[in-house]
Amino acid sequence: MDLNKTVGKPISRLEGKLKVTGAAKYAAEYQADNLLHGYVVNSPVTKGKIINIDISGAMAIPGVIQVLSHENRPKLAWFDLQYTDMDAPPGTVFKPLHDENILYNGQPIALVVAEDFETARYASTQIRFEFEEKNFQTSLDQNIGEARAAKKGFATALKPPPPPPTGDFDEAFANAAVKVEAEFHHGTEHHNPIELFATTTVYEGPGKLTIYDKTQGTINNQLYVANIFGLRYKNVRVLAPFVGGAFGSGLRPQYQLFLCVMAALHLERNVRVVLDRKQMFSFSHRPPAIQTLRFASDINGRLTALGHRVLAETSNFEDYTEPTASWSHRLYPAPNTLFEQKVVPLDVYTPMDMRAPGGSTALHAIECTMDELSYKLKIDPLELRLINYSDMDPSSKKPYTSKALRACYLEAAERFGWDKRSPEPASMTRGNKLVGYGMATGIWDAFQFPARVEAMITSDGKLVLNNATTDIGTGTLTVMTQIAADELGLSIEEVDFQYGDSKKPFSMFQGGSAITSSTGVAIVIAAKALRKKLLKKAGEIPHSPFHKIAEEEVFFAAGQLCLKSDPGIFITLKDIIAFNNGRPIKTTNMGKPHMLKLRKYSLATHSASFVEVEVDKDLGVVTVTRAVTAVAAGKIINPKTAKSQILGSMVWGISKALHEETIMDTNLGKYINTNLGEYHIPVHADIGELDVIFAEEQDELINEIGTKGVGEIGLVGMPAAISNAIFHATGKRIYKLPIHFDELIG
């Protein structure tokens, strides 16, 4: 038997060299003949109407080809259904340059197209607009009275409303032995992937386009473009082989895609549109939220009541919402619960999914409330979690397909040295620094989406796979190659996984930590079908030892089909294809969740984060000196890329807790720190010693390969663990994110 398996090995990214040497091409780097460049003009007005546009100054500049606005844009075949893409929330989708109305500050109101980028950008400053301004509301805090339930829509299945109440929460909370009530405020965050949003549209002829786009879903954007512009699906090809980060911002088609395609079709030219960093703040953000939590327990620490109320921002034209209020009951059992979630419509762009949407916001409030409860009970925070541990999902009364959270707690606590913690706040010091230990639990969904994969063996005996998924930097190419190599007994070098192309078989967008369990399962299904075809063809060869041999009697290794009873009897894959007259043997198959079987279970990944902070006694400056996160996510296909995902999430957790926030000036109705100089993110000096543990977790139920995603689970527990560590260090409980040093002084 072939023991040279690649699954489970820490293999470096296969595309790594291309990326670090600059050979990998991103959306704004594809060249096309006679390429025009577009520059977007954004509204300085938050709400109102465009009364007049004077483009004469821009058009007088040599090299300017056209200025497109609502006044002269071509007619469009707007897709009149409620949704124009697979991730659209309920409401009326935003339509760039649709009419004179201004819905939010930064809205695109014109596109300048010129022979080069610099000319287009300069010409944009020469356009004169007249506006009729209207009163606007952009403050969540000032509009709480406008809160309402979100409308239901296409995405409700993935983003369900909070579960109904159980028991009598009000009575249980009022009469509880120990209880905590707190209000948490979370600021706005913008995605800010390092690659700017960009689209290069190659005009191939009337109604036919090749589009290089920054996206997490090639097919999603293909459907969007075809529907909006009334084109045939087969005549729209979207490619995104390399994506420089997205974190959810690329799930929906962004407006530069629309504007670029519109210009290319109108001018019948190749066009590129690249947004600058400031324009990246004109869409794509995690919404601010206000959460009120009320937790109660008996004197021994067992939870008796869980209450969670959420108010979050949405736009005035779409009802974006994300599951936030329900997470506590998926972690902790309590007989009396009350969960409420509402949205507040404001004059802003629609928020978007941002790494662990809902979960990262919820878990901060939940785990800080649990921490506060532990201090009131005088019970160790870890012990309180163990007292309330449940092997079942308390919210659904269903067992998890697997849950190794207890192992996460214990292994991370031991690695971290939790037993060295002094329970009393502000009791641990290191020189002029207060030292604090904090911990928190993490949970995230274990999604799987349908996916289709074409698999073929070529004349040189190599395995080629095709699927439309993207790789947004998670290691998808490498992991899929590993899965496929093991299924056919091949080396990594003998597998070619081709992706990032809407012409390839179906894939959902890459999001929700779902692609390994989606495309990976499809690869396994396709590989099984391919093995059957190869064995059948081998049996057709005259005098073949594989004639009428059953599948269970053979195995694939080293590019060969071998008999289990006598591995010395084999035939190479090359020889099988040669017998097939050199034609590839291929198959296309769908992988999908086992809905009937899985409806009896709850599906989730789990984690535990432990953090040490130092807080300067005089300045209040917080440093995360070290952190350990343990993750239970089923089978880990590649420990190296998986660890990188968790480390990246932990860094983001530090950023969310201490740095990252977009500031809205509610008098102007605009964000005022729209650059990476003032939108603070961590630098190397902010990151201490980070460690990752993967707890052993065998899941035979969840899918054919036993995997759960690792993209988001490393983030959800970190902000709360940091907040809890700060309380332990200082004795001050801060109920907002991010935490600023001035709140810890005095």
Side-chain angles (χ1 to χ4, degrees):
M1 302 288 176
D2 180 21
L3 300 179
N4 296 318
K5 299 291 186 181
T6 65
V7 168
K9 292 184 178 180
I11 294 174
S12 297
R13 294 170 188 257
L14 300 180
E15 82 286 11
K17 184 177 180 180
L18 294 176
K19 288 182 174 179
V20 299
T21 60
K25 285 187 177 181
Y26 294 84
E29 297 180 313
Y30 287 90
Q31 296 303 313
D33 294 337
N34 301 313
L35 183 66
L36 298 177
H37 295 261
Y39 189 83
V40 179
V41 183
N42 301 88
S43 172
V45 169
T46 300
K47 188 175 184 179
K49 290 184 177 181
I50 302 172
I51 302 301
N52 185 56
I53 306 176
D54 180 1
I55 65 172
S56 59
M59 291 301 298
I61 298 171
V64 173
I65 304 298
Q66 183 64 277
V67 176
L68 294 169
S69 69
H70 73 277
E71 294 183 340
N72 64 342
R73 64 162 174 79
K75 292 182 179 181
L76 301 171
W78 281 106
F79 192 49
D80 291 327
L81 294 181
Q82 190 173 15
Y83 311 107
T84 56
D85 68 270
M86 292 189 286
D87 198 46
T92 303
V93 68
F94 172 67
K95 302 171 182 177
L97 309 191
H98 180 58
D99 55 30
E100 73 276 14
N101 293 310
I102 304 297
L103 304 179
Y104 69 97
N105 197 291
Q107 174 179 319
I109 55 177
L111 179 73
V112 182
V113 183
E115 296 288 352
D116 58 76
F117 175 80
E118 290 77 11
T119 298
R121 181 172 58 182
Y122 172 67
S124 72
T125 67
Q126 303 305 303
I127 304 174
R128 300 293 176 255
F129 293 89
E130 293 180 30
F131 300 99
E132 176 187 300
E133 298 191 48
K134 297 181 181 180
N135 292 332
F136 54 81
Q137 296 295 334
T138 59
S139 170
L140 176 63
D141 291 337
Q142 296 171 13
N143 289 275
I144 291 174
E146 303 301 317
R148 56 171 172 76
K151 300 170 187 174
K152 294 183 179 180
F154 179 76
T156 301
L158 291 178
K159 300 175 181 179
T166 60
D168 189 334
F169 172 81
D170 289 329
E171 181 179 354
F173 186 79
N175 299 319
V178 183
K179 54 191 172 185
V180 171
E181 181 171 0
E183 183 175 278
F184 295 83
H185 289 248
H186 288 71
T188 305
E189 298 173 65
H190 275 78
H191 293 71
N192 274 306
I194 197 64
E195 182 195 4
L196 300 170
F197 269 85
T199 302
T200 302
T201 301
V202 179
Y203 183 79
E204 306 277 12
K208 188 172 184 180
L209 304 172
T210 298
I211 303 167
Y212 299 94
D213 192 52
K214 178 186 174 66
T215 178
Q216 290 174 248
T218 58
I219 288 179
N220 193 28
N221 284 17
Q222 176 197 37
L223 295 174
Y224 172 86
V225 168
N227 289 335
I228 294 297
F229 294 97
L231 306 176
R232 294 177 179 270
Y233 294 132
K234 67 178 183 179
N235 287 341
V236 178
R237 184 182 187 187
V238 178
L239 297 105
F242 297 102
V243 181
F247 317 120
S249 61
L251 292 174
R252 298 189 68 183
Q254 299 300 353
Y255 64 73
Q256 95 290 334
L257 170 64
F258 169 86
L259 296 173
C260 187
V261 170
M262 179 187 67
L265 289 171
H266 179 60
L267 299 172
E268 299 184 352
R269 292 277 301 272
N270 303 329
V271 179
R272 174 177 297 153
V273 176
V274 183
L275 302 184
D276 61 28
R277 182 59 61 180
K278 182 178 181 179
Q279 290 169 330
M280 296 277 279
F281 286 83
S282 63
F283 62 90
S284 175
H285 68 280
R286 193 195 302 276
I290 301 170
Q291 302 179 81
T292 303
L293 275 75
R294 294 183 288 168
F295 283 14
S297 76
D298 62 24
I299 198 66
N300 297 312
R302 189 164 294 278
L303 291 165
T304 57
L306 294 172
H308 194 162
R309 182 172 186 260
V310 180
L311 301 176
E313 172 193 276
T314 190
S315 72
N316 266 315
F317 48 91
E318 288 179 306
D319 264 16
Y320 173 84
T321 186
E322 51 191 27
T324 306
S326 56
W327 285 103
S328 55
H329 208 205
R330 291 192 66 188
L331 277 174
Y332 306 117
N336 305 285
T337 64
L338 180 61
F339 305 113
E340 305 169 274
Q341 185 151 349
K342 294 184 177 181
V343 293
V344 178
L346 298 172
D347 298 309
V348 297
Y349 189 72
T350 306
M352 285 192 63
D353 290 348
M354 190 173 189
R355 204 169 201 176
S360 66
T361 301
L363 267 294
H364 170 252
I366 292 165
E367 290 300 287
C368 286
T369 304
M370 286 291 287
D371 194 68
E372 187 167 353
L373 190 63
S374 76
Y375 280 93
K376 281 197 171 185
L377 287 160
K378 293 183 169 33
I379 295 176
D380 182 281
L382 174 56
E383 181 61 26
L384 181 63
R385 270 73 170 189
L386 294 172
I387 289 171
N388 290 281
Y389 192 88
S390 174
D391 285 313
M392 298 187 64
D393 180 344
S395 65
S396 65
K397 303 297 189 291
K398 296 177 182 179
Y400 286 102
T401 56
S402 62
K403 183 181 179 182
L405 176 57
R406 187 184 300 274
C408 291
Y409 283 142
L410 300 179
E411 291 178 33
E414 182 180 6
R415 180 83 61 89
F416 180 81
W418 183 254
D419 59 342
K420 297 178 177 61
R421 169 183 173 271
S422 170
E424 191 67 25
S427 63
M428 297 171 61
T429 61
R430 187 178 293 139
N432 194 47
K433 306 291 178 63
L434 295 166
V435 177
Y437 286 3
M439 61 84 56
T441 312
I443 182 172
W444 185 247
D445 289 298
F447 290 122
Q448 180 187 350
F449 303 137
R452 187 180 296 276
V453 165
E454 180 188 64
M456 71 178 80
I457 296 294
T458 61
S459 59
D460 56 2
K462 290 189 176 182
L463 172 62
V464 177
L465 303 114
N466 288 293
N467 178 257
T469 188
T470 58
D471 185 342
I472 58 175
T474 57
T476 300
L477 167 63
T478 308
V479 168
M480 299 306 162
T481 303
Q482 289 179 258
I483 294 171
D486 283 6
E487 288 297 317
L488 269 297
L490 298 169
S491 67
I492 289 287
E493 293 74 22
E494 294 172 306
V495 177
D496 182 10
F497 178 68
Q498 299 183 4
Y499 62 101
D501 184 347
S502 65
K503 290 292 186 183
K504 298 187 182 301
F506 177 80
S507 172
M508 286 283 284
F509 40 65
Q510 184 170 38
S513 302
I515 284 298
T516 298
S517 297
S518 302
T519 302
V521 164
I523 287 174
V524 170
I525 300 298
K528 287 180 179 178
L530 188 59
R531 290 200 302 264
K532 285 184 180 181
K533 285 192 170 186
L534 290 167
L535 176 58
K536 181 181 179 182
K537 183 60 65 176
E540 295 173 2
I541 298 174
H543 312 295
S544 170
F546 296 96
H547 183 61
K548 293 186 178 180
I549 293 293
E551 283 184 73
E552 53 270 20
E553 297 179 67
V554 301
F555 67 96
F556 289 78
Q560 301 169 342
L561 170 60
C562 310
L563 276 178
K564 286 184 179 179
S565 59
D566 185 356
I569 298 176
F570 63 86
I571 183 172
T572 68
L573 301 186
K574 287 182 181 180
D575 287 341
I576 297 175
I577 301 302
F579 177 72
N580 197 44
N581 296 319
R583 298 189 304 271
I585 294 176
K586 60 184 177 179
T587 183
T588 302
N589 300 85
M590 175 75 80
K592 55 187 177 181
H594 300 291
M595 300 302 294
L596 289 177
K597 179 178 73 173
L598 292 177
R599 69 180 179 178
K600 301 176 182 178
Y601 298 92
S602 187
L603 289 63
T605 56
H606 295 88
S607 67
S609 294
F610 291 76
V611 168
E612 178 190 88
V613 302
E614 290 181 348
V615 182
D616 189 286
K617 291 180 181 179
D618 300 318
L619 303 177
V621 175
V622 179
T623 303
V624 177
T625 49
R626 60 190 183 93
V628 177
T629 292
V631 174
K635 180 186 287 186
I636 304 301
I637 303 297
N638 185 324
K640 187 171 187 178
T641 56
K643 181 180 179 181
S644 292
Q645 286 294 290
I646 303 302
L647 288 173
S649 289
M650 292 172 73
V651 170
W652 199 333
I654 295 170
S655 186
K656 182 176 176 66
L658 301 176
H659 302 276
E660 202 161 335
E661 182 180 21
T662 323
I663 306 300
M664 168 67 74
D665 185 323
T666 56
N667 293 317
L668 300 175
K670 63 184 291 186
Y671 301 113
I672 59 174
N673 57 327
T674 54
N675 56 73
L676 292 184
E678 295 171 300
Y679 181 86
H680 295 163
I681 57 175
V683 296
H684 285 293
D686 296 309
I687 306 303
E689 178 186 338
L690 304 182
D691 199 1
V692 177
I693 300 169
F694 289 109
E696 185 70 25
E697 185 177 63
Q698 300 292 329
D699 196 323
E700 305 296 333
L701 296 169
I702 195 162
N703 56 51
E704 283 80 352
I705 51 180
T707 55
K708 302 175 182 179
V710 296
E712 285 149 304
I713 187 62
L715 166 62
V716 288
M718 279 291 289
I722 293 168
S723 299
N724 294 337
I726 290 171
F727 172 77
H728 181 237
T730 65
K732 295 182 180 180
R733 183 76 65 179
I734 310 298
Y735 295 100
K736 64 177 288 293
L737 288 186
I739 296 172
H740 299 301
F741 69 89
D742 57 297
E743 295 159 330
L744 300 171
I745 297 176

